[in-house]
Amino acid sequence: MDQGFAAWNSAVAAAVQAVGTDSFGQRLEAALATIIDFDVLMVFAYRGAEKPVCCYHNIDPKRAQTIVGAYIAGPYLLDPFYGAALDTRKTSILRLKDMAPDHFYSSEYYRQHYVLTGIRDEVGILCRTPNWAGVVISFTRPVTAPAFGRRDLSLIRGAEPLLRTLCERHWSVVGSDAGASPIPAHDPINDTLNRMTNGVLTPREIEVTSLILRGHSNASIATTLKITSGTVKIHRKNIHQKLNIASQAELFGLFIRKLTKL
């Protein structure tokens, strides 16, 4: 028998036995490690606009302060994986570079948070459970390693149905005391921005601000909101004046500072 296939079978069998126990995360990590190389494995459970819960990670405490602690404090709202978890139309396998808006890699979220994580590429398996809006099992590669390639993604697609079934069964238990997981009727970022600005911004300006923070260009904002690029520029100018800021960096800083006080 092929050694790789035997290792996968053995590791998956151990993960099956660990469902519902504290060792499941480690067993899941071991199973994934038999088919692909990765650095970080982390599992975040999302319930509406609430702060996510980190169900498992394999990160050392110092690095976890940024990847887990700082993320939960507020930037999670701008994370494409968070948006996917709340969007029931999203597929089960997610890749950051495929979901990210056109200016994501020049956004302040990327510059001031994501870069600090040391992550180069990230792929996730999206699970649906009765007690969460979505659970994302995310595995990454560092900036010192190559991005996930076609072979990696093919192996992930092949393993995904089994891994997702196991994860959904296991994390259906985690957080079950919190009840159902309602999908927010309104955009959580828009609602948060509205509370932060105390009605200073109009509903349209809130939408534009949200898209700016997520990493959309003027053209992308115009397409998303079905308005002209010139109108987007006017909205951006008005937003800066009303919030007394002069740059996207200041907007992000204001967002994070306000968020930590909510």
Side-chain angles (χ1 to χ4, degrees), residues 20 32 35 45-46 70 74 93 100 121 148 151 156 175-176 183 197 228:
L32 273 169
I35 59 172
Y46 301 95
I93 298 177
D121 198 10
F148 292 105
R151 182 174 182 276
I156 293 167
S176 58
I183 303 297
T197 55
T228 67

Side-chain angles (χ1 to χ4, degrees), residues 4 14 23 56 104 170 198 203 218 241 254:
S23 64
Y56 176 79
F104 176 79
H170 175 75
N198 296 316
N218 283 357
Q241 288 178 341
L254 177 64

